[in-house]
Amino acid sequence: MRKTNHTAIHLAVVAALFGASTISFADAALEEVIVVATPIKDSQEAALNIKRLSDNVVDVISADTIGRFPDQNMADSLGRVPGMAIERDQGQARYINFRGTPFRWTAIGFDGIDIPGAENGRIPRFDSFPSSITSQVEVNKAVLPSMPGESVAGYVNIKTFNPFDREGLSIDLDVGMGEQDLGGGDVSRESARFSWSNDQFGVMVFSSSNSREQITDNQEPSLEMVNGALQLNEVRFASYKIERQDKASGAHVEFRPENTGARLFASYLYSEFVDLEQRNHFDWEMDPTTQVATIADHLLEYGRYDNSSDVRTLGADFRLQDWSVEARINQTTTEFNTFLPIIYRIPVANKTTASYDFSNPTNVKLSLNAPITDSVFYNLVYDVDSPLDIDVDTFKFDVEREFSDVKVNFGAQLSQREARGFNGTGGSIFGGAPAFPATINPDDYRTNEKWYFNSNNSQDEVYYNNIALRKDWEAAVGSLRLQASSTNEIAIDEDILAAYGMATFDMGWANIVAGVRVEETDYSSKGTLDGNSVTVSDSFTNVLPSLHVNVDLAEDVKGRLSVSTGVNRPTYNEWRASARIDPVNGTVSGGNPTLEAEEAWGIDAAIEYYFANASILSLGAFQRSIDNVIYEDTSTINAGIYGSTFAGQTWDLDGYVNGSDGTLSGVELNFIGQGVDLSESLEGFGVSANVTMLDGDFKRIDGSKAGMPGTSDLMYNVSVFYENYGLSVRVNYQYRDEWISPIEDPAEVWGETERVDLNAMYQLPWDIAGAMATVYFNANNLTDETDIRYDANHLPNQVESYGSRYLLGLRLSF
């Protein structure tokens, strides 16, 4: 900290952020001000100190670091950690590939309590967790015995704010407004946190909301090579109008009895992601001889995707003589819903034609030869309705005692889970009811608003009022919800009883953590086949040892070596006993309740050089071996598991099976450096960069090898920042090589992706109503990137663009 006269600089920064023409400084006092702290550097230093003192391979993100990026959710924040890759949906971060692994190999917890992934019980949806709810995020790459065994790839522990983090009354407010440039949709952010504490009592409440309106321009070409030439057979053009919101709210009440070191608390956290989607699309069939396209079908939809987590915890920390005890009771409810009632329209007369040009296969051009209104359609119904609710009761205790040079930890946890739902599709498109009402003509809902194209297409489509269309459709027929099909039912009860013990040996120059975790799983999967109720139950026990060695190789150099193990149970959709059967042909499609859990062991090694207070250069390498890799395939199965009627028969199962011999290995290089470490003239400048190189595959049941879903060969992140005189500016670049999506067709590959984001913040040199005030500007996807997916022949089959996003806001801290 030093004093200097920089008022002119402060005013210039405010003018640059808000526009000098709209700001008046007539009443601004020209006086000497104190240069504010360096929050990026300070937060990096705090996070690196935690990393340096940890007993395992871990990366840490602080709340202030998150706040100085244009992050809208937790996936964005995690995407900058070495080895962590983002998978986006229509431009927005959703899933995390932890070191290039399937989504379900990542365990997630809040304040040390692991919770189920909202999607399918195992897959964390990080788009439902706003980044503003956290105080710190721990990314554990080599897990300790005290952490959940399902952390095959790693364990993400999200620490929320505690009222004792700040003494007395504290109020933080954040409001921002902006625009998504494709379609000009509104973007907004609001959050508030109130906390109060004294020596014994603390209370905190918070609320957060992010909302986005956007247009997504989508085209899906169907291409093939014919006689050495590329041929376009079909192309689908779609324009999505999307309203997305993630929101969270919560509270924490805590009592700390005087002079006891104990605490009693109750906490509540609710987070939710909602996606309201209007889809307009036309599917065109191509004639390669005439170079003319005709309408194949037309879809109209107003649907909803949502997922939520409701986490309630009672906790007590206290001492029993020389033992420290932590006890927790937790109830968690997750909900995951997909509800897409779709009008599927097939032309029956006056098919509109168009000319096309696919010289650029990632941007097919189509020119209409006649208005689309000339077409007459036959209207069918296609309905997707897939709810899944999971209720979890968790009872957990942990005990610790420190001796002269050894720390002993042990504990136990019982997690009782109940999953209920179904995975349904239906409608007249499949030959059944309900039919679309003849009293409604979808063309009556056409508007004059033309489609927004990011691809400069020459089509003449206009949007339909899908919201009004669905409302009238629903009023005409009643509920559009599907009746739960017994062949798609999910009804699983799962109890996981875990116990662990570990010892940490401190030798001054090194410490060693050795221990074991034992998890016993009991599950029961109920379903219906051929009208008969089926229940498949099983239990199994996994012994999960681990060893972590952390050595001070020099004053500023740390060496680490870890060996750890893990187990990943099938998702609830994979494990369901319900299925569709064809006894005549001896086939079954659906769940596989006999799936074995994936078992993994791995080794991590790292060298970390802390060459300055807020700087690091580290090199890490890791390897994982995974047995029973779960994927989709066709296999044979003993039909007797579905009922005594079929005992002794062998059927073909079209569903989920266990592969073998999965391997994943990689190298991570991480650098964080401050310009002042090199020269005083570079004070305020800094760089954060990391690169990860990966390789992984597994063996299918036929003996062939396949790439590990989620694995990119190369990933890297580079951030350049400057902070001084209250100004903080950061530019971040992310790159990811192509990969197989863990939730899509395994023959489909995502193309390489890159992203450039910008965050600028300025702390005002004067208070606003007694609050420290900060203005900020966020810009996402500055280079207007397009996401491309490819089929098995590496020809593009989906091209998606959504434009850039901008947000201008104000933060107040009292």
Side-chain angles (χ1 to χ4, degrees):
M1 303 280 287
R2 66 180 186 274
K3 288 190 174 182
T4 184
N5 194 331
H6 289 300
T7 303
I9 296 176
H10 285 288
L11 299 181
V13 171
V14 175
L17 284 174
F18 284 94
S21 61
T22 61
I23 301 293
S24 173
F25 302 112
D27 297 326
L30 297 177
E31 60 182 16
E32 187 176 60
V33 297
I34 298 176
V35 177
V36 296
T38 52
I40 294 180
K41 183 179 178 181
D42 294 343
S43 60
Q44 286 178 343
E45 182 175 354
L48 289 177
N49 283 337
I50 297 172
K51 175 181 175 71
R52 186 172 186 172
L53 297 174
S54 67
D55 292 329
N56 61 326
V57 180
V58 63
D59 286 296
V60 178
I61 316 173
S62 71
D64 201 71
T65 298
I66 293 172
R68 292 184 177 265
F69 280 97
D71 297 340
Q72 61 180 341
N73 60 40
M74 196 62 62
D76 269 328
S77 304
L78 290 168
R80 292 185 302 276
V81 174
M84 308 286 275
I86 292 173
E87 183 161 321
R88 292 183 169 88
D89 176 72
Q90 302 193 45
Q92 294 166 19
R94 170 167 293 177
Y95 301 104
I96 289 292
N97 293 126
F98 199 122
R99 285 177 159 177
T101 61
F103 308 136
R104 65 177 183 271
W105 289 4
T106 300
I108 185 172
F110 282 94
D111 299 314
I113 299 289
D114 54 294
I115 66 172
E119 184 171 338
N120 250 320
R122 312 290 185 206
I123 300 173
R125 285 286 297 265
F126 290 97
D127 53 2
S128 67
F129 305 134
S131 56
S132 60
I133 69 175
T134 66
S135 64
Q136 189 182 97
V137 182
E138 297 173 347
V139 181
N140 296 276
K141 297 179 175 179
V143 298
L144 297 166
S146 56
M147 298 173 184
E150 58 190 354
S151 312
V152 169
Y155 174 50
V156 177
N157 183 33
I158 301 170
K159 294 186 175 182
T160 57
F161 288 95
N162 186 287
F164 287 93
D165 290 344
R166 294 185 186 176
E167 186 178 354
L169 178 64
S170 173
I171 302 174
D172 291 278
L173 305 174
D174 186 341
V175 60
M177 299 181 65
E179 181 178 281
Q180 187 85 21
D181 69 343
L182 182 59
D186 292 333
V187 179
S188 67
R189 169 191 287 177
E190 304 89 27
S191 69
R193 185 175 70 247
F194 301 84
S195 68
W196 176 86
S197 67
N198 60 14
D199 291 339
Q200 291 184 270
F201 291 94
V203 60
M204 182 268 294
V205 294
F206 70 88
S207 178
S208 172
S209 176
N210 292 281
S211 63
R212 303 162 294 280
E213 297 176 351
Q214 75 171 63
I215 299 292
T216 301
D217 179 15
N218 177 282
Q219 59 175 264
E220 300 178 22
S222 175
L223 298 153
E224 67 173 328
M225 296 297 297
V226 178
N227 299 322
L230 193 63
Q231 177 175 298
L232 179 66
N233 298 319
E234 190 175 357
V235 63
R236 172 183 296 170
F237 293 95
S239 186
Y240 295 82
K241 280 188 171 184
I242 295 172
E243 295 181 32
R244 287 181 170 173
Q245 183 180 59
D246 57 76
K247 58 184 179 181
S249 58
H252 185 107
V253 179
E254 187 167 320
F255 171 59
R256 297 183 176 183
E258 189 174 3
N259 301 323
T260 65
R263 68 179 186 128
L264 303 171
F265 71 87
S267 67
Y268 172 74
L269 169 65
Y270 177 79
S271 65
E272 179 185 49
F273 169 84
V274 177
D275 181 356
L276 300 176
E277 177 183 280
Q278 295 187 64
R279 175 169 28 158
N280 290 259
H281 100 218
F282 283 92
D283 200 358
W284 299 84
E285 290 182 346
M286 308 300 171
D287 186 330
T289 303
T290 63
Q291 297 285 298
V292 171
T294 56
I295 295 178
D297 59 60
H298 176 210
L299 265 65
L300 297 172
E301 167 217 308
Y302 177 55
R304 176 186 176 106
Y305 303 84
D306 65 81
N307 70 89
S308 64
S309 297
D310 194 312
V311 185
R312 304 166 295 278
T313 305
L314 293 175
D317 297 350
F318 54 92
R319 293 189 66 84
L320 291 177
Q321 296 182 347
D322 295 326
W323 296 89
S324 297
V325 181
E326 296 182 358
R328 305 287 187 268
I329 299 175
N330 172 266
Q331 290 184 322
T332 295
T333 300
T334 67
E335 296 183 356
F336 182 83
N337 297 284
T338 300
F339 182 42
L340 306 176
I342 301 172
I343 303 170
Y344 190 94
R345 316 182 70 204
I346 299 176
V348 294
N350 301 325
K351 297 182 180 181
T352 300
T353 62
S355 303
Y356 62 95
D357 173 10
F358 67 103
S359 54
N360 177 2
T362 63
N363 188 6
V364 177
K365 301 290 185 180
L366 202 75
S367 300
L368 300 182
N369 298 332
I372 292 177
T373 51
D374 288 349
S375 296
V376 177
F377 293 93
Y378 177 57
N379 300 314
L380 299 173
V381 174
Y382 179 75
D383 204 348
V384 179
D385 195 355
S386 300
L388 178 62
D389 298 339
I390 303 171
D391 292 307
V392 186
D393 293 324
T394 299
F395 308 90
K396 182 177 185 286
F397 77 88
D398 299 272
V399 179
E400 176 180 300
R401 180 175 177 178
E402 292 193 24
F403 297 89
S404 58
D405 54 3
V406 179
K407 182 175 67 175
V408 176
N409 297 77
F410 64 87
Q413 175 177 305
L414 173 62
S415 181
Q416 298 175 311
R417 302 182 178 187
E418 180 183 276
R420 297 292 184 269
F422 65 95
N423 188 1
T425 56
S428 58
I429 191 173
F430 299 103
F436 188 78
T439 56
I440 295 178
N441 180 7
D443 283 327
D444 292 341
Y445 297 83
R446 284 173 56 90
T447 72
N448 294 322
E449 182 185 7
K450 291 190 175 182
W451 281 15
Y452 294 95
F453 283 108
N454 211 19
S455 52
N456 298 318
N457 225 295
S458 56
Q459 299 173 69
D460 223 6
E461 286 96 333
V462 296
Y463 291 104
Y464 283 62
N465 187 344
N466 291 355
I467 297 176
L469 174 56
R470 175 177 155 179
K471 180 181 178 181
D472 292 346
W473 174 19
E474 204 158 15
V477 301
S479 175
L480 299 178
R481 305 302 301 237
L482 289 176
Q483 293 295 318
S485 169
S486 59
T487 60
N488 291 319
E489 180 185 9
I490 298 173
I492 295 177
D493 296 322
E494 178 185 38
D495 292 346
I496 303 172
L497 177 62
Y500 76 92
M502 66 182 187
T504 304
F505 303 90
D506 188 354
M507 292 166 283
W509 54 274
N511 75 339
I512 298 174
V513 184
V516 64
R517 185 180 184 92
V518 179
E519 293 193 350
E520 181 181 76
T521 306
D522 293 292
Y523 78 94
S524 174
S525 182
K526 300 177 183 178
T528 303
L529 288 99
D530 199 28
N532 298 315
S533 296
V534 175
T535 300
V536 179
S537 301
D538 197 6
S539 64
F540 52 90
T541 301
N542 296 95
V543 179
L544 308 171
S546 65
L547 176 68
H548 306 266
V549 180
N550 308 283
V551 182
D552 293 324
L553 300 175
E555 182 179 358
D556 297 319
V557 180
K558 195 100 172 183
R560 302 185 189 274
L561 181 66
S562 296
V563 178
S564 56
T565 52
V567 57
N568 181 73
R569 301 161 188 87
T571 68
Y572 293 139
N573 186 47
E574 295 166 344
W575 235 359
R576 62 187 171 93
S578 59
R580 290 186 295 272
I581 65 172
D582 181 355
V584 176
N585 296 309
T587 61
V588 57
S589 60
N592 183 356
T594 66
L595 277 175
E596 296 184 56
E598 296 167 310
E599 299 176 338
W601 74 269
I603 186 169
D604 289 78
I607 296 178
E608 301 164 357
Y609 175 33
Y610 299 87
F611 59 88
N613 288 339
S615 303
I616 187 175
L617 176 63
S618 65
L619 176 64
F622 61 91
Q623 193 272 343
R624 294 287 185 274
S625 295
I626 307 98
D627 197 16
N628 303 324
V629 177
I630 298 171
Y631 74 107
E632 287 191 73
D633 206 336
T634 300
S635 64
T636 57
I637 194 169
N638 178 6
I641 68 168
Y642 296 115
S644 58
T645 305
F646 312 114
Q649 299 181 33
T650 299
W651 290 354
D652 288 332
L653 169 68
D654 182 15
Y656 304 98
V657 299
N658 288 116
S660 62
D661 300 332
T663 62
L664 181 71
S665 58
V667 176
E668 297 172 347
L669 180 64
N670 184 31
F671 172 80
I672 299 175
Q674 315 297 324
V676 73
D677 297 336
L678 300 176
S679 170
E680 289 290 336
S681 63
L682 295 176
E683 182 178 5
F685 288 96
V687 175
S688 174
N690 59 74
V691 59
T692 304
M693 291 169 283
L694 295 166
D695 186 33
D697 58 32
F698 72 97
K699 188 181 292 184
R700 296 190 183 98
I701 56 177
D702 64 2
S704 62
K705 285 193 173 183
M708 190 71 74
T711 303
S712 295
D713 293 337
L714 177 65
M715 305 179 296
Y716 56 86
N717 297 275
V718 180
S719 295
V720 179
F721 66 86
Y722 173 79
E723 57 177 359
N724 219 336
Y725 313 124
L727 173 67
S728 172
V729 180
R730 189 161 199 161
V731 179
N732 187 69
Y733 173 80
Q734 293 179 322
Y735 172 83
R736 169 171 201 189
D737 202 358
E738 64 179 29
W739 75 97
I740 299 171
S741 173
I743 59 170
E744 302 288 353
D745 182 347
E748 185 177 69
V749 174
W750 282 72
E752 63 179 12
T753 62
E754 56 185 353
R755 187 83 167 220
V756 178
D757 299 327
L758 166 71
N759 172 262
M761 307 182 72
Y762 179 66
Q763 182 178 314
L764 299 179
W766 56 82
D767 291 344
I768 296 181
M772 182 179 70
T774 303
V775 293
Y776 64 87
F777 173 71
N778 292 345
N780 294 80
N781 192 27
L782 277 173
T783 53
D784 194 12
E785 296 300 322
T786 298
D787 295 336
I788 304 175
R789 304 186 204 184
Y790 298 87
D791 62 21
N793 297 317
H794 215 76
L795 297 171
N797 67 3
Q798 187 168 164
V799 182
E800 194 168 72
S801 59
Y802 32 81
S804 304
R805 185 177 68 250
Y806 306 98
L807 184 73
L808 183 67
L810 172 69
R811 291 176 182 158
L812 299 176
S813 182
F814 295 86

